[in-house]
Amino acid sequence: MPNGATLYSGTRRRGVKLHYLGTAYSDRSHDKCDDYVRQIQTQHMDGNGWSDIGYSFVVCTHGYVYEGRGLHRRNSANGNTSLNEQDYAVLLMVGSSGLTKPTTAQLDGARDAIEYCREKGPAGTWLGGHRDGYATSCPGDAIYAWVKAGAPRPAAPAPAAPKPSTEAEMKLSDHIKLGDWIPKYWPNDKGLQDKQIPVDVALGSGYAHSRKSAENTVAILAELKALRTEVAQLRAAITKES
């Protein structure tokens, strides 16, 4: 188990250095990642004689960030005491062979670790790789190119393009089929014999319901007119008798 580590002597780091494993690595399911982090920790403690895993933070291919020595205990990964004191050390779990390129989720997680170091460390905005100031190929060309580009957060995937419609585009001049009940109301209407009307007629008038409403209105007005006539005749008859 870790038995402590030297605290950083200053209150602020210059920035963050990125690392890779430098050995062969193959990806694994996420439930095996913490076992691998402990394996690195054991190697550093039992093999190197260090007090803990050498990195400040470790990022697996699934984008999860593991705390190593964290923000306050000096890392042992950057090459020597002054380099360890100068910058935080963040390891991305990719290798020099096998899996050599970080995943999108891993770059997202690494960006989270960088921002956490800057906000809570605090660390300055300087960003580099292990090879900056130390003779090594770490963190590998893929990660180093990302670092030199400013370690941008991966862009969200573009939304899928809508699938093209399999239906033919309908035009206003096209005809649509009417329900069977409509011709029953107007059996003598020659325009309904094929049970179809143009789309623009259907949209513009609501056709059947509008037509039925209009005919009902006409019928009501006719009945009112007849009723007025009857009332007038009745009044005339009453006046004549009196």
Side-chain angles (χ1 to χ4, degrees):
M1 293 294 291
N3 58 12
T6 303
L7 298 179
Y8 286 111
S9 60
T11 58
R12 184 180 181 88
R13 312 279 71 72
R14 176 184 66 165
V16 178
K17 279 191 174 181
L18 280 292
H19 296 252
Y20 75 162
L21 292 165
T23 57
Y25 182 72
S26 57
D27 202 7
R28 60 209 64 222
S29 59
H30 180 56
D31 61 349
K32 299 293 191 301
C33 290
D34 55 350
D35 293 333
Y36 198 87
V37 174
R38 292 191 186 95
Q39 180 180 322
I40 299 171
Q41 181 187 51
T42 298
Q43 177 189 344
H44 285 183
M45 293 176 66
D46 297 346
N48 297 355
W50 295 347
S51 62
D52 197 353
I53 191 170
Y55 305 102
S56 307
F57 298 95
V58 178
V59 187
C60 75
T61 56
H62 308 281
Y64 288 80
V65 180
Y66 297 84
E67 183 173 5
R69 299 199 185 187
L71 297 175
H72 305 297
R73 295 184 298 150
R74 189 173 69 204
N75 72 80
S76 296
N78 289 337
N80 57 49
T81 299
S82 61
L83 294 176
N84 296 337
E85 180 74 30
Q86 184 172 246
D87 302 300
Y88 289 115
V90 175
L91 168 71
L92 278 68
M93 284 169 54
V94 298
S96 54
S97 61
L99 179 67
T100 60
K101 294 183 178 180
T103 65
T104 298
Q106 194 169 29
L107 294 179
D108 249 330
R111 186 69 207 184
D112 288 340
I114 292 167
E115 292 177 1
Y116 181 72
C117 289
R118 289 175 175 176
E119 293 171 8
K120 303 295 184 181
T125 58
W126 185 89
L127 191 62
H130 185 189
R131 65 178 68 174
D132 291 316
Y134 192 78
T136 176
S137 59
C138 181
D141 292 340
I143 295 175
Y144 193 66
W146 179 67
V147 169
K148 287 303 161 183
R153 189 174 293 278
K163 294 182 179 180
S165 174
T166 56
E167 298 181 0
E169 184 179 352
M170 183 174 285
K171 302 176 182 178
L172 292 178
S173 59
D174 290 343
H175 282 64
I176 58 174
K177 195 170 183 62
L178 299 172
D180 290 335
W181 66 274
I182 294 177
K184 291 180 182 179
Y185 278 98
W186 306 286
N188 299 321
D189 192 327
K190 294 182 180 180
L192 298 177
Q193 288 178 356
D194 61 354
K195 297 183 181 180
Q196 294 186 359
I197 60 172
V199 173
D200 56 350
V201 174
L203 293 175
S205 63
Y207 193 70
H209 294 290
S210 296
R211 180 169 175 178
K212 189 63 181 172
S213 297
E215 291 184 355
N216 288 340
T217 302
V218 171
I220 292 171
L221 291 175
E223 290 178 8
L224 287 175
K225 184 177 181 180
L227 184 59
R228 286 199 205 100
T229 301
E230 291 177 7
V231 170
Q233 292 174 348
L234 181 59
R235 284 177 178 171
I238 293 173
T239 302
K240 187 175 180 180
E241 289 179 1
S242 54

